[in-house]
Amino acid sequence: TLQRQLQQSDCQNVLMKKVFDTHMLFLQINQSAAALKHIFAALRLFVGKFPSAFFQGQADLCGSLCYEILKCCNHRSRSTQTEASALLYFFMRKNFEFNKQKSIVRSHLQLIKAVSQLIADAGIGGSRFQHSLAIINNFANGDKQMKNVNFPAEVKDLTKRIRTVLMATAQMKEHEKDPEMLVDLQYSLANSYASTPELRRTWLESMAKIHARNGDLSEAAMCYIHIAALIAEYLKRKGKINTFKTNGVSINII
């Protein structure tokens, strides 16, 4: 009965969100490596039973899970890094199977977004994280069942793109005491995602945080205006809105 309730509306329901949030809570609280091993096993079972919760409809659950697993890929324990990498590979594989072996578009987008957020929030990209990326690539190379499909190539492309973001971040770290240069690098990275509005928004939000920390409130406001324009443009393409009002004045979205 509980399983049927969780599967209602293609797993897009309040009960599913509560169960998912409970799983996430175990990752958000500091745990021992032994406890994390059991949590990862529970998450593999959860994703395996309810793939549509992550790969269909809203991307919120997919994005949150990617964020928390990537944090564990940067864990100080090598065994936890390996377990987290294995879970992440399993997650991407499930995405590929759910899409009838066509692509991992959703997990790809949400992982890049999560990496971008983690760089701003916690700082990742050292040897521990690079080690986890290498483990994921090794899983892709050694997966005999996926040998004759394009899944291994998609995994390698994703890890390559993550490394590109991390390299750009390393450049930013070199200029962390030069706010203007730092924001220029952030802006260049945001522009590189012009064709992916969700990622562009992530980097613009990161830029806004830097501006706000430096007391540059006008510049931070401009970042948020760019974000609002991206959202308005998206809604216009979807046919949701043609105009919006501000201070009682209607503005046409061109």
Side-chain angles (χ1 to χ4, degrees):
T1 304
L2 178 61
Q3 186 168 339
R4 283 201 299 272
Q5 285 179 292
L6 287 168
Q7 289 173 329
Q8 284 179 1
S9 304
D10 291 324
C11 298
Q12 310 294 312
N13 58 71
V14 175
L15 181 60
M16 173 59 75
K17 181 70 167 63
K18 288 181 178 178
V19 173
F20 174 77
D21 286 345
T22 303
H23 279 83
M24 290 300 95
L25 191 61
F26 286 115
L27 289 181
Q28 290 159 357
I29 298 171
N30 286 335
Q31 306 280 1
S32 67
L36 282 169
K37 186 174 182 178
H38 293 293
I39 294 163
F40 292 144
L43 282 167
R44 277 195 297 273
L45 183 63
F46 187 58
V47 172
K49 262 190 174 304
F50 305 106
S52 57
F54 302 94
F55 309 126
Q56 193 167 296
Q58 295 293 319
D60 297 1
L61 302 193
C62 181
S64 297
L65 182 58
C66 288
Y67 183 90
E68 296 300 335
I69 298 174
L70 283 173
K71 274 173 63 179
C72 293
C73 286
N74 204 44
H75 199 274
R76 62 184 177 276
S77 163
R78 275 295 171 100
S79 63
T80 298
Q81 288 173 36
T82 302
E83 291 283 347
S85 301
L87 175 57
L88 198 53
Y89 181 78
F90 171 82
F91 187 72
M92 291 187 285
R93 200 174 188 270
K94 278 293 173 187
N95 188 184
F96 189 71
E97 291 169 355
F98 187 83
N99 286 346
K100 299 178 181 177
Q101 299 196 340
K102 290 179 182 177
S103 72
I104 56 168
V105 170
R106 172 163 288 192
S107 53
H108 182 124
L109 174 63
Q110 294 304 319
L111 282 166
I112 294 288
K113 183 182 176 186
V115 167
S116 305
Q117 289 172 329
L118 279 166
I119 288 166
D121 296 346
I124 57 170
S127 58
R128 290 185 299 201
F129 194 75
Q130 293 288 353
H131 176 69
S132 294
L133 292 179
I135 291 171
I136 292 167
N137 274 331
N138 288 339
F139 279 131
N141 291 331
D143 194 338
K144 293 179 181 178
Q145 291 182 327
M146 293 285 157
K147 190 176 180 180
N148 297 319
V149 293
N150 67 337
F151 177 66
E154 290 211 25
V155 172
K156 288 174 190 174
D157 177 60
L158 173 58
T159 55
K160 183 180 176 181
R161 287 177 183 270
I162 290 174
R163 285 194 174 99
T164 300
V165 172
L166 295 175
M167 283 174 63
T169 306
Q171 281 186 302
M172 291 176 200
K173 195 162 184 65
E174 289 177 18
H175 299 281
E176 62 186 354
K177 293 182 180 178
D178 183 350
E180 291 184 4
M181 185 65 182
L182 179 59
V183 170
D184 279 345
L185 289 167
Q186 290 258 15
Y187 183 68
S188 295
L189 194 54
N191 280 343
S192 72
Y193 289 113
S195 61
T196 314
E198 194 168 356
L199 294 177
R200 185 171 167 80
R201 173 187 170 180
T202 300
W203 280 103
L204 285 167
E205 285 174 341
S206 181
M207 284 171 62
K209 287 178 185 177
I210 292 169
H211 281 310
R213 278 202 304 266
N214 294 328
D216 300 325
L217 301 184
S218 295
E219 287 81 355
M222 284 300 297
C223 290
Y224 288 120
I225 288 169
H226 275 292
I227 292 168
L230 281 172
I231 294 169
E233 186 181 0
Y234 172 81
L235 291 173
K236 183 174 187 285
R237 283 204 307 269
K238 289 287 185 179
K240 304 277 186 183
I241 58 170
N242 289 312
T243 62
F244 68 92
K245 287 187 176 182
T246 178
N247 295 328
V249 178
S250 294
I251 298 174
N252 290 318
I253 301 172
I254 300 170

